[in-house]
Amino acid sequence: AIYKKKKDSISETKATMISDLPTDVAEDVLSRLPVTSLVGVRFACKKWNTLTKDEGFIKKHLGKNQWRKVVMLLDYKVYLMNVDLLTPSSLERIVVVDVIPDWSIEFYQRGVSLKGNTYLFAEEKLVDVAPGTEISDLRDFLLCFDFTKERFGPRLPLPFHSFGDIVTLSSVGEEKLAVLFQKQGLPPYTVKIWISSSKIEPDAVSWNKLFLSVDMKPLTGFLFLDNGGSFFVDEDEEVAVVLDKARGKFRLTHNIACIIGKNGHFKQVDLGERADPSLKLPTNIPVVCSYVPSSVDIM
């Protein structure tokens, strides 16, 4: 009991010493922490909670990192967009002129940001195909836009071959990629998901064994949409959540989330927001995005 009392006393003394730091010193120290650490910092004491939510601190914390680069494909050209996080209306566009792509990216493909770079699913461009070549043999692969070099890296391998099938990308935490594949031909309806190793770089990627394989025919009776299939996974629980549209007899009806797992685990959740009854084409496809904590409070 004496040891515990002494230990608690030491902890309280340390906490008091830390919280008693001069404001300018505390601000300088805390501004060096990664954004993801600020949640814990705010629970340390009321003084730090108030400090880290101050507009002046937020600007200092972001500092040189307040500008973020994103890659944008527009009118068959590649652009770099500099976005000011503190002034959302402030944009700066830079055209990347040294890209002559021998690949193509479908308009509905969504890139995934990981480790500061952007990964995209691409296919070999269909140009001057030699006689006798099977179009379905054209290669498909990942591309990474490396922001440090401001250029695309080499073609990266995928754990499958796709031609006209459903392929979507997602991130797993801050270190891994996940890819969803659903083949349009035979065998139909089966969704397969792979997760990369954590050793992914702009010029190298390796894939772990198959994470999940689920036959969707007895569960939903339809394929995911080409521009649907947005998803995320929970490695620990061994489940995936895939967003799409439910089907009526002749049209799409409403947004859904399909929770799929091993050993036949399945649950479909209605997300509401019905499509326009007069339209048979996909509208307002639900999309799930990875979340990166920020020091800026959501208003």
Side-chain angles (χ1 to χ4, degrees), residues 41-110:
V41 166
R42 288 171 178 170
F43 282 104
C45 64
K46 292 182 179 180
K47 180 179 178 181
W48 287 6
N49 180 52
T50 302
L51 174 61
T52 54
K53 291 181 178 180
D54 179 73
E55 184 178 350
F57 172 83
I58 292 172
K59 291 182 178 180
K60 183 173 182 178
H61 189 273
L62 292 173
K64 295 180 181 178
N65 296 321
Q66 93 178 49
W67 285 89
R68 291 290 186 271
K69 286 185 177 181
V70 296
V71 64
M72 180 179 68
L73 306 180
L74 179 65
D75 297 331
Y76 304 99
K77 295 180 181 179
V78 180
Y79 295 89
L80 280 181
M81 297 288 290
N82 279 344
V83 182
D84 183 350
L85 297 179
L86 299 180
T87 312
S89 60
S90 179
L91 299 174
E92 179 181 331
R93 186 169 71 175
I94 308 172
V95 181
V96 180
V97 295
D98 59 347
V99 176
I100 305 177
D102 56 356
W103 39 260
S104 63
I105 298 173
E106 294 290 350
F107 70 93
Y108 50 78
Q109 283 294 336
R110 296 176 291 273

Side-chain angles (χ1 to χ4, degrees), residues 172-283:
V172 183
E174 299 179 356
E175 297 289 331
K176 300 178 184 178
L177 278 179
V179 58
L180 179 149
F181 171 68
Q182 188 177 31
K183 195 169 184 61
Q184 300 248 31
L186 295 174
Y189 299 100
T190 299
V191 168
K192 295 182 178 182
I193 296 175
W194 287 265
I195 297 177
S196 73
S197 69
S198 57
K199 297 180 180 178
I200 184 169
E201 300 295 341
D203 58 355
V205 62
S206 61
W207 298 95
N208 296 324
K209 63 181 181 180
L210 185 66
F211 173 71
L212 202 60
S213 179
V214 179
D215 182 3
M216 298 299 294
K217 187 170 185 178
L219 303 177
T220 63
F222 56 78
L223 293 164
F224 291 122
L225 298 167
D226 287 339
N227 57 343
S230 180
F231 76 104
F232 65 92
V233 302
D234 187 320
E235 267 192 295
D236 295 332
E237 298 296 332
E238 297 185 324
V239 297
V241 180
V242 188
L243 273 58
D244 205 74
K245 288 281 188 183
R247 274 63 158 183
K249 188 173 181 180
F250 298 108
R251 58 183 174 82
L252 302 170
T253 56
H254 53 278
N255 297 327
I256 57 172
C258 296
I259 305 172
I260 56 178
K262 295 184 177 180
N263 302 319
H265 176 74
F266 175 76
K267 183 178 182 180
Q268 182 171 305
V269 180
D270 187 346
L271 301 179
E273 191 182 339
R274 294 181 176 275
D276 185 336
S278 66
L279 299 175
K280 296 181 180 180
L281 296 176
T283 58

Side-chain angles (χ1 to χ4, degrees), residues 147-177:
F147 283 97
T148 61
K149 299 178 180 178
E150 297 191 349
R151 67 186 183 191
F152 284 97
R155 298 178 177 187
L156 302 175
L158 288 165
F160 54 81
H161 174 60
S162 167
F163 179 73
D165 303 309
I166 291 91
V167 178
T168 54
L169 300 174
S170 183
S171 58
V172 183
E174 299 179 356
E175 297 289 331
K176 300 178 184 178
L177 278 179

